[in-house]
Amino acid sequence: YDSLFFSYKLNGVNYSISTVVDVDSLGLVTVDNLLPSEVVCSNVAAYELKILPKGGLLTGPVAGGFLDPSKFLGDTSILYRYTNQKTGCSISLSVPFTIIPAPVISFALADNCIENASDSIRFINTTPSAGLISWEWKNADPGGLTFSNEQDASYLYKTGGDHSVTITATTTHNCNVSKTFPIDLGVKPKANFFWKNECYHPRDSIMLFDSAITYSTSTITSRSWKTLGGAEFSTDKNPKFLMSDTGYFKIQYTINTKYAGCSHDTVKNIYIRPSITVSKKDGYFEDFEKGRMGWVKYEDNVNSWSFGKPDRTIINKAASGNNAWFTPASLTSVKVQSSVISPCFNFDSIARPM
């Protein structure tokens, strides 16, 4: 409280009056945790502003007494006004600041198929890069560690199936965002097969058997069998194929998973062997002077057998004339582990084949 005096003179007489005045001293508004021109990231959780005196009205990108950066982007301000309800006196403060957008993290997988033990999965960063200064990629699986600080990254996963990766991006204003993404990876299978009953008989079929290497995390979703360059003849796991004649033909076997690019195929050259019935009277004898007569060398990468005239220093001709199966002289120092395939023989008509 204070006193107010008023003096005046009228017609040579001095007069004075006084009254008691209630002076309201409000002081200044203070905001402890928001500075003028401060930069705030839009992904910062709403937080309570520390403002004195309490009980005023707060406006701006706020919710109650909390600053909520998600409500606005760009240059803005808060305005706080406090009014003493008894005296009607008021004080106010405006704090200008800027809310900048936090990065919106995104990425794409170059592929989601692990082709072999040394094949890394590549992550292609599709996050808008303006204002970003650092990255962190972390394997979010249990016990996972940071594996890259580059914008794009790669990681060598040992198993397929469900995994997680966490990406953290930081801007020039020290805004950082972390987000964990689930990823589903496949492991490339390896197609393979073998066959039985390759001896030719009219209206008979060769039996094909799947022997692919597969993985529990990459279930085979479909199969395809076809002659190379021809039409598909089966989608079964172990099909049969009707033999039309003797000789070579190629079978292509393809297995597919649900993962793009995580398929595999193999092609094998199958020899349908002629069938020869050995009679009790004539037996079987072949000197190859009329050709291979249904005999072929086994189709593998290291087969060293040749057909024709031998080229050895001592063994330089066939006993029967011109043709024989032999290993060339140039391979004398090579360990031979290959073979020659004969026709199929039916010994039903003789009692003692040998």
Side-chain angles (χ1 to χ4, degrees), residues 31-231:
V31 181
D32 288 347
N33 54 348
L34 182 64
L35 300 176
S37 301
E38 186 173 335
V39 174
V40 179
C41 302
S42 63
N43 66 322
V44 172
Y47 63 93
E48 187 175 9
L49 292 170
K50 298 179 180 179
I51 305 177
L52 291 175
K54 295 181 179 296
L57 177 65
L58 179 64
T59 58
V62 296
F66 287 72
L67 178 67
D68 188 352
S70 67
K71 290 182 173 292
F72 191 85
L73 287 177
D75 295 331
T76 185
S77 64
I78 61 165
L79 175 64
Y80 184 77
R81 182 180 297 277
Y82 172 80
T83 301
N84 188 327
Q85 299 301 318
K86 293 182 180 180
T87 64
C89 295
S90 65
I91 51 176
S92 64
L93 177 67
S94 177
V95 181
F97 64 102
T98 301
I99 300 175
I100 62 171
V104 179
I105 294 178
S106 62
F107 74 92
L109 292 175
D111 67 87
N112 61 343
C113 180
I114 303 172
E115 294 196 9
N116 51 60
S118 60
D119 179 35
S120 295
I121 295 298
R122 293 192 301 115
F123 300 91
I124 302 172
N125 200 328
T126 55
T127 306
S129 59
L132 295 176
I133 58 172
S134 69
W135 297 93
E136 181 186 63
W137 297 78
K138 183 178 181 180
N139 178 10
D141 294 344
L145 301 173
T146 298
F147 60 85
S148 179
N149 295 112
E150 301 296 327
Q151 184 169 343
D152 298 321
S154 61
Y155 186 76
L156 183 62
Y157 287 94
K158 295 181 179 180
T159 60
D162 294 326
H163 297 275
S164 296
V165 61
T166 299
I167 313 172
T168 301
T170 304
T171 71
T172 53
H173 294 287
N174 204 33
C175 288
N176 64 76
V177 175
S178 291
K179 189 171 183 179
T180 299
F181 296 88
I183 56 175
D184 184 14
L185 303 177
V187 181
K188 192 169 189 174
K190 186 175 182 179
N192 197 15
F193 68 95
F194 63 94
W195 58 90
K196 293 182 179 180
N197 195 40
E198 71 271 28
C199 299
Y200 176 73
H201 299 283
R203 298 179 299 280
D204 198 2
S205 297
I206 187 171
M207 296 182 290
L208 305 170
F209 298 90
D210 166 86
S211 59
I213 299 174
T214 60
Y215 302 88
S216 60
T217 55
S218 303
T219 303
I220 302 303
T221 56
S222 65
R223 294 176 165 83
S224 175
W225 299 84
K226 63 181 181 179
T227 55
L228 188 63

